[in-house]
Amino acid sequence: MALMDTLSKQNRPKILVADDDMMIRVLARECLEEAGMEVIEASDGESALALYHREHPDLLFLDVEMPGMSGLDVCQAVRATPEGSNVPILIVTGADDQESIDRGFNAGATQYKTKPINWSLLSRDIRYMLRAAKAFDEIKAQEGRLRYLAYFDHLTDLPNRRSFNEQLRRNLIAGEQRGKSTGLMLIDMDHFKRINDSIGHERGDEFLKSISQRLLEILEAIAVIATDYPGASVSPDPALLAFEIARIGGDEFTIIVRNPQSEAQLTDIGNAIIEGFAQPLEIQGHILVLTPSMGIAVASRQGMTPEILLKQADAAVYAAKTDGRARFRFYDSSLEDDATEQLRIEEDLREAMLSGGLSMVYQPQIDTRTGLLCGVEALIRWNHPELGALSPAKFIPIAERTGLIVELGDWILRQVSQDSKLLANKLPENITISINLSPLQFSQSNFVEHIGDTLKELDLLHYQVELELTEGVLMLEVESNLTKLKQLKTMGFQLAIDDFGTGYSSLSYLRHFPIDTLKIDRSFVNDIGSSGGDGIVLAILGLCHALHLRVIAEGVETREQAAFLLTHGCDVFQGFLLARPMAIEHLFEAANKDYMSLILPPSESVTHSAASTAQSTDKASS
C-alpha cells in the first residue's frame, strides 16, 4: 500500500503557487490537492524563481503583484531558461484591462486570469493547461522525430542523402565566398553486396554500423567532424579543415572536406581511410576485412553544382574499382569519356544478349598421358558492331558492376547447351566443359537453386560440366560456400579452382572443399625457367598430388614449359602451344588430333608414336 501511495505521489502534477496573499495560497492548495495535484508555495517572486529551479514544477500559478520580483518578472526569467520555454504559466491579477492582459502574454504567460478567482473551476482549467502542454510536447517530440527521419539515416545515425545534398550545396556556396575549394570523397565498400547476401541482411546492417563507426574514428583522428545540418549544434570554424560525413545509400558513404589545402592533403586522408580499414571488423562471429574504393573530386572553380561534383566523384570511384579496388582515384576529364563509353557498353551488352553479337569459343584441354582432347574451357566473345572485338576484360567488369552478370551467366549456359548439341555423339563421352563463374553470380543467395532450374531446362549435363571459381571467392565465406559446393557436387558438377596461387586459400580449408581440379595461373607457367618460378610451380604440383586433385596448367606456350610440367606430373595442358580458342564447329577436328608431338620433344614423340602403334597392333592381333 505504501508503494502504491509513493507511485501515486510520483505521478501527481506539481504546481507552484506564488502569491503574497496567504489566503489565495491556502484556497489554491485546497482546491488543487483535492483534485490530486501536489502544491508548493512561494510568497514572493525571488522565492518562486528559486523553487522553480529546485523543484521543476509542471505548472506555475503566478500573481502579478508581489514584493520584489513581480509575477511578470518571474515569468520572463523562467522563459529565458532552456527548460522553461514550454512549461505552462498561469498569470493571476486584479487588473482586467487590455493593456495588463497584453503585458502578461508578452511576458510569456500561457493563460491569464483576473481576480476574484472561480475556485470551483481552477482545477479544471489547470488540468486543461497541463493536457495542452503535454500534447504540445508530444507534437514537438514528433516534429523532432520527423526531422530526424528526414535528415538522418536510421541505421547509422549519420546524415542521409537529403542532408548530404543540402550540406554540399551550402559548402560550395561558402567555399566560393571564401575563395576556398571543397573536396568530396565518395566511398563504396568493395564486394559488400556479396557479403550481405552471404551472411544475411541483419548481420549486413551490423557491418554497416561498424563501417560508419570506423569512418568516424578515422576522421576524428585527422580533424573535427562538423555537424552542419538543419537543427544541428554549432559547427567548427568554417575556415578550418573539417569533415561532414553522410551515408547516402547502401554501402555508399560521402565525406565533404572543407577547405582542403592541396591534393596532397586529400591523398593523405584517402590513405588514412584505406589504412584504417586494414584491421578486420568482427560482427557476430564473422571476421572480415572490408576494403573501401574511393573517388575524390574537388570544386575549385565557380559555378560548380552538387550534381556535377557528385557525378565526378562517382566516375572516380568506378575508376578506382576498375583499377583493382581498395584504392582511390582523383577525378580528371579523361574519366568522363570512360564513363560515357561504359554506359554505352552496358546498353549495347543488354541488346547483344537479345539480338546477337555474343558468341562462345572453346579452348582445348589436352590430357598429358594420351595427348588427346579431354576437355574444353568455354570463353565468351563479343564482336561489337562498331567497336569491333571487345575483350571480356573490358565488358565483364561492367556486367558485374551493373548486375548484368547474372543474365550474362544464364546466356552463357544456354549458348553452351545449344553448342554442345551440335556435337552430340561426335566428342568423347567423358569430355569436360569448363564454365567460369563470376564472383557475383556465386555470391547470390539463390545461386544453387537458380543454376539447377536453368540446367533442368537445358539438359546440359549429358556432358561433364565443370564450374570454375577463383580461390578468393571461396575463402570469402568459407562455411556457406562449402555448403554451396557440396550441393553443386550432388547435382553432378565437377568443381575447379581457377587461377590458383593468386589468391589466399587456406590449406586447412582447401582439404575440405569438394574440389576436383586446380588450375595453375598462367603467370606462374610463364615464369617457368627461373629459379623462383620453378619453385612455385613445383609447390603447387606437390599440393595437388597430396590432395589427389587433377591439375591443369593454363597458358602453356613453349615446349620448355610443357617439358617441365610433364616431367613433374601435370595432368592437363591448356595454351597456345596446343590450340587457341576455337568455334564449336572446329572442335570435332580437335577431338581427333593427337597433340603428343607438341607436348613431347621430337625424339620422345617418335618413341611415343611407335609405342602407340605397337599397342594398336597388339590389340588388333588379339
Side-chain angles (χ1 to χ4, degrees), residues 342-588:
Q342 289 155 12
L343 179 60
R344 178 187 180 184
I345 289 175
E346 176 190 347
E347 294 172 345
D348 291 351
L349 182 57
R350 292 180 188 274
E351 179 65 25
M353 284 191 286
L354 296 174
S355 59
L358 297 175
S359 62
M360 299 302 299
V361 294
Y362 302 86
Q363 185 166 28
Q365 297 172 335
I366 308 304
D367 189 326
T368 59
R369 295 167 299 178
T370 65
L372 301 177
L373 181 76
C374 63
V376 294
E377 181 178 359
L379 302 166
I380 190 169
R381 295 291 184 264
W382 185 10
N383 187 23
H384 192 281
E386 296 178 16
L387 302 177
L390 289 180
S391 167
K394 190 173 188 66
F395 65 83
I396 291 294
I398 295 175
E400 290 181 323
R401 181 178 66 88
T402 59
L404 271 178
I405 192 65
V406 176
E407 295 176 47
L408 187 61
D410 290 346
W411 185 94
I412 289 172
L413 285 174
R414 286 184 166 80
Q415 189 62 41
V416 169
S417 175
Q418 182 177 327
D419 287 348
S420 68
K421 291 174 183 176
L422 296 175
L423 293 177
N425 303 318
K426 295 182 180 179
L427 293 180
E429 292 183 358
N430 61 347
I431 196 79
T432 298
I433 301 177
S434 298
I435 299 175
N436 292 280
L437 291 180
S438 160
L440 191 62
Q441 283 178 278
F442 187 70
S443 68
Q444 299 292 312
S445 57
N446 65 337
F447 168 73
V448 174
E449 294 82 358
H450 179 75
I451 197 171
D453 293 341
T454 303
L455 289 175
K456 286 177 184 177
E457 297 175 18
L458 302 178
D459 189 29
L460 183 59
L461 290 179
H462 57 272
Y463 285 111
Q464 182 64 60
V465 176
E466 185 170 68
L467 302 177
E468 295 187 12
L469 291 147
T470 61
E471 55 183 320
V473 175
L474 295 180
M475 295 305 300
L476 187 62
E477 278 293 321
V478 173
E479 296 302 325
S480 61
N481 287 343
L482 179 59
T483 300
K484 286 184 181 180
L485 293 176
K486 289 179 178 178
Q487 291 171 335
L488 292 171
K489 286 292 291 184
T490 301
M491 293 167 64
F493 290 106
Q494 287 191 354
L495 301 171
I497 295 182
D498 193 15
D499 300 335
F500 185 77
T502 61
Y504 48 90
S505 290
S506 166
L507 183 58
S508 61
Y509 284 119
L510 194 59
R511 290 174 53 240
H512 297 96
F513 284 152
I515 299 297
D516 303 288
T517 304
L518 291 185
K519 299 187 75 174
I520 304 176
D521 184 68
R522 65 181 66 250
S523 63
F524 298 128
V525 173
N526 190 54
D527 285 342
I528 289 175
S530 64
S531 58
D534 289 355
I536 292 174
V537 173
L538 288 174
I540 295 175
L541 288 169
L543 173 64
C544 292
H545 296 153
L547 296 177
H548 306 290
L549 299 174
R550 187 174 72 134
V551 57
I552 298 177
E554 293 185 295
V556 179
E557 298 184 357
T558 68
R559 283 183 176 274
E560 291 75 17
Q561 293 168 351
F564 179 88
L565 290 163
L566 186 66
T567 300
H568 295 96
C570 184
D571 301 305
V572 179
F573 289 169
Q574 178 180 339
F576 288 175
L577 175 66
L578 306 163
R580 292 176 178 271
M582 60 187 68
I584 189 70
E585 54 266 22
H586 299 308
L587 270 184
F588 179 73

Side-chain angles (χ1 to χ4, degrees), residues 151-153 157-161 163-164 167 229 245-247:
Y151 286 98
F152 286 87
D153 170 49
D157 287 330
L158 293 176
N160 61 14
R161 178 179 284 273
S163 184
F164 159 73
Q167 289 173 351
Y229 51 83
I245 181 173
R247 178 190 176 215

